[in-house]
Amino acid sequence: NAGVTQTPKFRVLKTGQSMTLLCAQDMNHEYMYWYRQDPGMGLRLIHYSVGEGTTAKGEVPDGYNVSRLKKQNFLLGLESAAPSQTSVYFCASNHRQASDFQPQHFGDGTRLSIL
Amino acid sequence: AQTVTQSQPEMSVQEAETVTLSCTYDTSESDYYLFWYKQPPSRQMILVIRQEAYKQQNATENRFSVNFQKAAKSFSLKISDSQLGDAAMYFCAYRTAYSGAGSYQLTFGKGTKLSVIP
């Protein structure tokens, strides 16, 4: 009963390095999201996807890119990491139907530190 | 754009007592959903309770209940008989019910850190 799985759970990067965070869900959800959580800021939406091959910007998209090549996976990339991107990153997913208010299912988060 | 405000950064409650966490929101929509999520030190995001805006009746889940005041745009969470395991960060969140919105992203408040005193 995996749900939403995020890889890796922790990572330390140097400024300017690149990396990709992987989110995988096994619930056949259409919608997937990437949020970042900073102290005193709550969770803010970075990018989201409403289906395979489609992505869109959220509230704080600068410095990130995403891809959804397969329905079950949603990748978040940092091309040139900056200290301001030090954060905890959460992936979430839910079904598309609006008639039932599908709650979002969250992964356990990735703690990313940029030195 | 919708906004969610949690005006209490930190709160504390004595074990077995009752505590209420406040949340207000701003929206021009008439149909939407509201959620409370709990985040313990393990960092997991755990859904506590949810409310549909078009329902008058306040949602309850065991020791957790909400006071939903649509006209005032207020959505407070009441925790009764507080337990040590209730200590966590609590987030209030808003989601549109409009199917043409393009996605069902959540808009979060900044959170309230709840401490439970033995």
Side-chain angles (χ1 to χ4, degrees):
Chain A
N1 200 15
V4 179
T5 303
Q6 292 184 230
T7 309
K9 297 194 185 305
F10 303 95
R11 186 72 183 269
V12 178
L13 290 179
K14 293 181 179 179
T15 298
Q17 287 185 319
S18 63
M19 80 159 295
T20 300
L21 280 67
L22 171 63
C23 177
Q25 53 92 5
D26 61 1
M27 297 169 283
N28 203 33
H29 286 168
E30 293 84 7
Y31 290 359
M32 296 186 75
Y33 312 83
W34 277 107
Y35 296 90
R36 61 177 288 173
Q37 181 182 14
D38 301 296
M41 294 298 294
L43 280 76
R44 293 179 292 168
L45 183 67
I46 305 171
H47 285 280
Y48 65 94
S49 169
V50 299
E52 186 176 323
T54 69
T55 62
K57 295 179 180 180
E59 180 186 353
V60 288
D62 293 343
Y64 305 96
N65 56 74
V66 288
S67 64
R68 182 103 180 265
L69 299 180
K70 294 182 179 180
K71 186 177 183 179
Q72 63 268 32
N73 295 337
F74 194 28
L75 278 62
L76 178 70
L78 287 73
E79 290 186 346
S80 179
S84 61
Q85 294 177 304
T86 293
S87 188
V88 177
Y89 292 85
F90 284 95
C91 177
S93 68
N94 64 263
H95 277 301
R96 180 176 54 206
Q97 290 92 332
S99 58
D100 179 15
F101 63 123
Q102 298 285 334
Q104 288 189 8
H105 297 258
F106 284 84
D108 290 340
T110 295
R111 180 173 294 280
L112 184 60
S113 295
I114 316 295
L115 304 178
Chain B
Q2 294 79 24
T3 59
V4 177
T5 302
Q6 294 178 249
S7 59
Q8 307 151 315
E10 296 187 22
M11 290 197 72
S12 62
V13 62
Q14 207 77 30
E15 194 175 4
E17 296 295 310
T18 296
V19 64
T20 298
L21 308 184
S22 300
C23 173
T24 59
Y25 57 94
D26 188 28
T27 183
S28 59
E29 298 178 332
S30 59
D31 199 11
Y32 48 86
Y33 304 118
L34 296 164
F35 304 86
W36 278 99
Y37 279 89
K38 171 185 177 182
Q39 187 182 47
S42 67
R43 210 169 63 199
Q44 284 181 293
M45 291 292 288
I46 302 166
L47 179 64
V48 174
I49 199 165
R50 51 190 173 181
Q51 175 78 42
E52 300 169 70
Y54 63 87
K55 283 190 175 180
Q56 301 279 359
Q57 188 173 6
N58 289 324
T60 61
E61 288 286 343
N62 300 313
R63 297 183 295 108
F64 298 88
S65 62
V66 298
N67 183 5
F68 174 51
Q69 302 289 329
K70 191 173 183 179
K73 295 181 182 175
S74 172
F75 182 60
S76 60
L77 174 69
K78 185 171 83 171
I79 306 174
S80 303
D81 185 25
S82 297
Q83 301 175 359
L84 295 178
D86 294 334
M89 184 73 80
Y90 286 82
F91 291 100
C92 179
Y94 172 103
R95 205 208 86 183
T96 183
Y98 174 47
S99 61
S103 80
Y104 297 125
Q105 66 211 53
L106 294 171
T107 300
F108 287 89
K110 294 183 178 181
T112 297
K113 184 178 181 181
L114 178 67
S115 301
V116 180
I117 303 165

